[in-house]
Amino acid sequence: MNPADLGLPVDVPSTALFTDHYELTMLQAALANGTADRRSVFEVFTRRLPEGRRYGVVAGTGRVLDAVENFRFDAAVLEFLRERAVVDMRTLDWLASYRFSGDIWGYPEGEVYFPGSPILRVEGSFAECVLLETVILSILNHDSAIAAAASRMASAAGGRPLIEMGARRTHELAAVAASRAAYVGGFASTSDLAAGFRYGIPTVGTSAHAFTLVHDTERDAFQAQVASLGSGTTLLVDTYDVAEAVRTAVEVAGTGLGAVRIDSGDLLLVAHRVRHQLDELGATGTRIVVTSDLDEYAIASLAAAPVDAYGVGTQLVTGSGHPTCSMVYKLVARATSADPKAPLVPVAKKSTGGKTSIGGRKWAARRMDSEGVAEAEVVGTGAVPAAFADTQLLVQLVKAGEVVAREPLEAARDRHREACAGLPLSATQLSRGEPVIPTEYA
């Protein structure tokens, strides 16, 4: 059984209305004046990274491919558009048979990116490409923001496992996407069962404070949990008095107790005290898991603490202060007429306020130094220089409307690890600074 085939509640039957009203009114006008069929190239990029970030992380690509495949205007959707008079009948007839038939190229999921990187390139007729703008941006902006926060947290954790625990802090469907993006960015597991069901991410969890409080004593709660889940479980020890709870936990579960979780207080101080107490009680193999509104800075502050794993919720699913990546979807080239043989010409927005863009169909490569460390993101138009012919960052994702690059989530996770390993060491710094490598235009 493929969970993706089941639809709701972790998927939607159609993504056609995950768009803005003006995409359809543009389509109507383009159909009327003959520009709808002009061959066009749209690109997704960001003009800058969120403040303080040294690199971005591409996440959500797999979800974009699903969204493009599911972008269909069924009878109910068409009737909604007709009742609201969003578009005219000619446009409704065109939408009824909509199927994206163009090509999509992009940075593979898990790759890092920088300002100006052509993260995604969508090619086809103006009509079929322009409709995908909103859904593509909503996925990439959300998932890439979560993955970037996850990557910073994973770096700060220094190899200690991270648990995604943010489902209760965001929209129920966003929580599933956030778990997926966090896994790409380096998290090891999630508390969200829908994410485990939909994407195969390992799920974990034992008990909350309510379980302790519903029992007459903490000992009763621990005995019930160990009897049900075994001595390898994780016992929550900060409901009342931590030291007393740790003592009781070891008495109940024995020295083979799997782990204890600390969810409040001065985590640095409490973790040291708990480790010392566990060792004195002979539970030297019992792990310590900490939670409680962690972000990358809090995780980094615990680097010297005897902590074995971190659980992160709110700060992760909100992008740790940056819930979007400010990616845009811009027309960068279009044909001079609807003739399939008409040449493409570069186009670009020119305006004040830093919202200019560079026209032309882009290629991208990462220049490495003699030690294999990245030193520049090189972006250009036209022919690809021979020096970069074999190091292109964009790969084909969709060909003539068919997805050609779907891959397991593990592949994106592994790719991100490799991409980070190729960046300068300063990429791991949490202090504010510029992108770790510059973007150069060829």
Side-chain angles (χ1 to χ4, degrees):
M1 178 187 71
N2 181 2
D5 295 335
L6 298 180
L8 296 173
V10 293
D11 265 328
V12 292
S14 170
T15 54
L17 292 184
F18 288 179
T19 190
D20 289 308
H21 187 116
Y22 80 167
E23 309 290 8
L24 299 189
T25 52
M26 280 194 289
L27 169 65
Q28 177 177 307
L31 288 171
N33 78 349
T35 55
D37 292 330
R38 285 191 177 186
R39 196 158 47 100
S40 299
V41 179
F42 287 81
E43 289 177 351
V44 175
F45 62 93
T46 184
R47 297 182 177 94
R48 64 190 65 83
L49 298 179
E51 186 178 359
R53 297 290 165 90
R54 303 302 179 92
Y55 59 91
V57 181
V58 178
T61 308
R63 296 207 309 120
V64 165
L65 298 180
D66 292 341
V68 171
E69 283 189 330
N70 291 331
F71 206 90
R72 304 283 187 268
F73 293 82
D74 60 23
V77 169
L78 292 169
E79 179 60 18
F80 164 79
L81 297 174
R82 186 194 67 77
E83 289 180 349
R84 297 294 181 92
V86 174
V87 290
D88 60 20
M89 288 305 300
R90 177 185 179 184
T91 306
L92 289 174
D93 290 341
W94 189 92
L95 291 172
S97 60
Y98 178 85
R99 299 291 186 274
F100 181 73
S101 63
D103 299 333
I104 299 178
W105 295 70
Y107 280 38
E109 191 158 20
E111 184 58 86
V112 297
Y113 70 87
F114 300 91
S117 296
I119 297 162
L120 199 74
R121 189 174 72 222
V122 183
E123 305 182 19
S125 71
F126 175 81
E128 63 180 344
C129 293
V130 75
L131 293 184
L132 299 177
E133 175 182 8
T134 304
V135 69
I136 286 176
L137 287 179
S138 74
I139 292 172
L140 291 180
N141 269 313
H142 174 270
D143 290 24
S144 296
I146 306 303
S151 181
R152 284 163 61 86
M153 292 173 187
S155 176
R160 297 169 180 173
L162 292 154
I163 307 163
E164 186 279 311
M165 303 172 64
R168 63 191 61 191
R169 299 291 189 247
T170 188
H171 184 279
E172 65 271 20
L173 297 184
V176 182
S179 294
R180 183 186 184 281
Y183 192 65
V184 170
F187 273 57
S189 57
T190 179
S191 66
D192 192 322
L193 288 174
F197 178 76
R198 176 67 177 84
Y199 297 116
I201 301 168
T203 60
V204 296
T206 50
S207 68
H209 291 103
F211 186 76
T212 300
L213 294 169
V214 77
H215 289 83
D216 293 336
T217 69
E218 194 167 50
R219 181 179 293 273
D220 289 343
F222 289 173
Q223 287 174 334
Q225 185 173 327
V226 171
S228 178
L229 302 178
S231 61
T233 190
T234 300
L235 295 176
L236 181 58
V237 295
D238 72 327
T239 305
Y240 304 118
D241 179 84
V242 173
E244 182 60 29
V246 170
R247 185 179 303 109
T248 303
V250 176
E251 289 175 359
V252 170
T255 56
L257 173 62
V260 296
R261 178 162 74 95
I262 307 166
D263 188 50
S264 60
D266 184 335
L267 296 178
L268 180 61
L269 176 62
V270 176
H272 277 287
R273 287 178 174 174
V274 168
R275 180 74 272 157
H276 180 70
Q277 185 180 9
L278 287 170
D279 291 346
E280 280 194 331
L281 293 170
T284 56
T286 298
R287 296 175 299 114
I288 297 175
V289 180
V290 297
T291 52
S292 185
D293 291 327
L294 298 177
D295 61 10
E296 60 266 48
Y297 302 102
I299 292 169
S301 74
L302 294 167
V307 173
D308 297 287
Y310 306 91
V312 190
T314 303
Q315 292 302 318
L316 175 66
V317 299
T318 57
S320 194
H322 297 290
T324 181
C325 301
S326 299
M327 292 179 186
V328 295
Y329 182 96
K330 296 298 181 184
L331 181 66
V332 296
R334 51 88 175 167
T336 54
S337 72
D339 184 340
K341 297 181 180 179
L344 286 173
V345 295
V347 293
K349 176 181 179 179
K350 296 187 183 300
S351 65
T352 59
K355 284 195 170 184
T356 58
S357 57
I358 298 174
R361 185 177 185 270
K362 315 290 190 310
W363 54 263
R366 192 160 298 142
R367 190 172 70 241
M368 316 297 279
D369 66 16
S370 59
E371 302 296 324
V373 177
E375 59 182 13
E377 190 89 337
V378 184
V379 177
T381 59
V384 179
F388 297 123
D390 297 324
T391 58
Q392 291 295 289
L393 288 168
L394 281 83
V395 299
Q396 188 154 26
L397 304 171
V398 175
K399 183 176 182 179
E402 298 295 324
V403 174
V404 295
R406 190 168 272 113
E407 62 182 5
L409 196 56
E410 291 289 346
R413 178 179 169 84
D414 292 343
R415 181 180 297 113
H416 179 61
R417 189 182 303 113
E418 293 171 4
C420 286
L423 295 177
L425 286 177
S426 56
T428 63
Q429 292 178 336
L430 298 181
S431 58
R432 296 180 180 235
E434 297 300 313
V436 70
I437 59 173
T439 301
E440 298 178 356
Y441 292 95

